[in-house]
Amino acid sequence: MSAKLLILLEKVYRENYLNKEELEYILDNITYERAGPLFAYATQTRMKIYQDRVFLRSLVEISNCCKNNCLYCGIRKDNPYPERYRLLPDQILDCCLSAYQQGYRTFVLQGGEDNFFTTEMLAAIIREIKRNFPDMAVTLSLGERSREDYQEFFRAGADRYLLRHETISPELYRRYHPGMEQEKRIQALRDLKEIGYQVGAGFIVGLPGQDNKVLAEELLFLKEFKPAMVGIGPLIPHPETPLAGIKTGSVEKTLILLALIRLLLPEVLLPITTAVNTLDKMGWEKGLKAGANVIMPVITPASHRSKYEIYKNKGSVDGSKLTEIKDRIERAGFRVDMGRGDNPLWSKEI
Ligand code: SAH
């Protein structure tokens, strides 16, 4: 590894900041095989804040109906193939009960942008969860809704919101999200933060056109926005989308980016996303060693799981038994923490 690369890695470890040129230099010159010092710094940073703990979040996919047409996504509106479904409020509550009984203290509701779920319906579901399980953190990942909706869900008891910015490049955002506006998405992130949510931002790794310059900008946006959580994952082209047949995003690049995000935002909650574990059967282990500290097992009922196919073969790694998940984490040298796992900076910020 070159002296310049080592100096930059030490700098980001010590200062939690690098400028765009410096980040781009790292991305241009580092290889996964030689990223040992980067992963070591990321691990030290994670140990300082979270020790060897790994937080588990149960995730239920409440609807695969979506009004949007993101070019990469398998449940985009114009894909006629997926059998569309919606979970009923009672089914969602049953999932939450089962998650609670298994020991989970975070329940993530994810779905397409589906207006069938009105403000009132969702607020009622959140209230019901909080009434039955007051110590369960509720995370929403339901795309863009109005500020009033976000406010209403927060009042009902929601704690966190995951809304990836997908890409910070205006040109790429336009190319991959027909009919959507980047400014609206970023504003939604700001609204969520102002309301008091722990907010998750993040991007897709390997969108065609996203070079290291753009990736350096993605990282700097995160540094500046300071989300409580960051979700990134490699693009997995779906055969029923306009991106069918293009190159899959790199797991190795994703791991390098996870480590850099840990160094830029030491306290961030950083999941190894399902996409990483779909492409690499040792994805969780590698992610944990790159500074990630969250795993989000999908607990969508088996009868619907395969229909939430944002990318192909997603179902194959979902639905693992909790004991198997815990075994894997422990064998990798980490410890499972079933607590709520809030970002330590969050309570100070609200
Ligand atoms: N509708 C919600 C949830 C989207 S699914 C929202 O807008 O936030 C969660 C994430 O999956 C998306 O944010 C996107 O980054 C990712 N995703 C979608 N299709 C993908 C694909 N083909 N490969 C990799 N990641 C994908």
Side-chain angles (χ1 to χ4, degrees):
M1 181 175 284
S2 76
K4 179 168 179 189
L5 200 48
L6 271 175
I7 289 168
L8 288 178
L9 292 179
E10 200 194 327
K11 185 171 172 195
V12 66
Y13 171 63
R14 288 193 192 292
E15 298 175 15
N16 311 122
Y17 179 78
L18 287 179
N19 67 31
K20 193 164 134 190
E21 288 68 39
E22 292 168 327
L23 286 168
E24 209 180 322
Y25 183 90
I26 294 183
L27 293 170
D28 281 344
N29 289 284
I30 204 161
T31 59
Y32 181 74
E33 291 67 33
R34 301 212 167 164
L38 169 64
F39 296 140
Y41 281 142
T43 297
Q44 280 180 45
T45 304
R46 164 262 170 63
M47 286 295 175
K48 261 190 274 178
I49 314 276
Y50 291 107
Q51 299 77 49
D52 55 357
R53 290 177 292 157
V54 178
F55 300 115
L56 296 190
R57 324 297 205 187
S58 55
L59 186 149
V60 59
E61 295 145 334
I62 67 168
S63 165
N64 71 350
C65 303
C66 192
K67 62 172 193 257
N68 288 330
N69 252 322
C70 307
L71 256 55
Y72 41 79
C73 187
I75 61 167
R76 64 200 302 273
K77 183 178 79 188
D78 286 354
N79 183 0
Y81 297 107
E83 188 191 325
R84 304 287 172 170
Y85 75 91
R86 293 177 172 119
L87 298 188
L88 302 167
D90 277 351
Q91 290 177 302
I92 298 172
L93 285 162
D94 283 349
C95 287
C96 190
L97 170 63
S98 143
Y100 193 86
Q101 286 170 338
Q102 291 178 66
Y104 288 106
R105 289 298 176 268
T106 292
F107 188 59
V108 185
L109 287 85
Q110 190 172 80
E113 283 192 21
D114 183 4
N115 286 336
F116 171 85
F117 285 93
T118 61
T119 318
E120 293 69 33
M121 271 173 80
L122 285 167
I125 293 169
I126 297 162
R127 268 196 300 273
E128 201 53 20
I129 294 173
K130 285 288 178 171
R131 197 174 63 81
N132 287 298
F133 316 105
D135 54 338
M136 183 76 124
V138 172
T139 304
L140 305 177
S141 180
L142 303 170
E144 292 170 40
R145 306 200 47 132
S146 68
R147 185 180 170 118
E148 291 67 39
D149 276 13
Y150 291 154
Q151 185 71 66
E152 201 53 37
F153 304 154
F154 191 72
R155 241 183 257 129
D159 302 273
R160 312 183 183 126
Y161 206 105
L162 306 175
L163 185 75
R164 292 187 181 178
H165 64 278
E166 311 295 4
T167 175
I168 200 61
S169 151
E171 188 201 322
L172 294 181
Y173 193 90
R174 238 176 285 125
R175 192 190 307 170
Y176 293 112
H177 306 95
M180 293 172 75
E181 281 173 47
Q182 187 180 45
E183 185 43 43
K184 276 202 194 144
R185 199 151 182 101
I186 306 286
Q187 188 54 46
L189 281 167
R190 290 200 195 101
D191 287 343
L192 288 161
K193 210 178 184 191
E194 267 175 37
I195 291 168
Y197 285 93
Q198 295 180 63
V199 177
F203 54 91
I204 298 188
V205 179
L207 285 174
Q210 181 196 49
D211 53 15
N212 287 338
K213 185 164 162 286
V214 174
L215 286 172
E217 287 164 2
E218 308 284 9
L219 294 175
L220 280 183
F221 167 72
L222 293 175
K223 175 70 192 169
E224 189 196 331
F225 183 70
K226 295 188 183 48
M229 309 167 282
V230 168
I232 66 166
L235 172 74
I236 308 182
H238 190 295
E240 293 155 9
T241 66
L243 296 196
I246 66 149
K247 216 168 127 233
T248 301
S250 155
V251 169
E252 296 184 348
K253 190 88 173 211
T254 304
L255 293 163
I256 289 169
L257 289 161
L258 283 172
L260 286 170
I261 292 165
R262 168 64 61 212
L263 293 171
L264 292 168
L265 298 165
E267 292 87 0
V268 81
L269 290 160
L270 193 59
I272 307 144
T273 50
T274 313
V276 172
N277 206 54
T278 299
L279 293 175
D280 187 329
K281 62 180 193 324
M282 295 299 279
W284 286 348
E285 290 78 358
K286 290 179 184 171
L288 292 174
K289 287 173 182 156
N293 68 330
V294 175
I295 289 176
M296 302 169 72
V298 175
I299 61 151
T300 305
S303 50
H304 294 290
R305 205 175 294 142
S306 65
K307 298 177 203 155
Y308 194 84
E309 199 177 53
I310 51 181
Y311 44 78
K312 271 285 168 211
N313 297 325
K314 179 177 156 288
S316 61
V317 289
D318 290 349
S320 314
K321 290 228 168 48
L322 190 51
T323 48
E324 293 163 22
I325 296 169
K326 286 182 175 169
D327 261 9
R328 269 181 75 178
I329 294 171
E330 278 160 20
R331 260 184 277 124
F334 295 86
R335 201 159 37 100
V336 173
D337 186 328
M338 295 297 280
R340 277 178 54 117
D342 289 302
N343 183 314
L345 294 181
W346 168 70
S347 48
K348 287 182 212 156
E349 270 175 12
I350 55 168

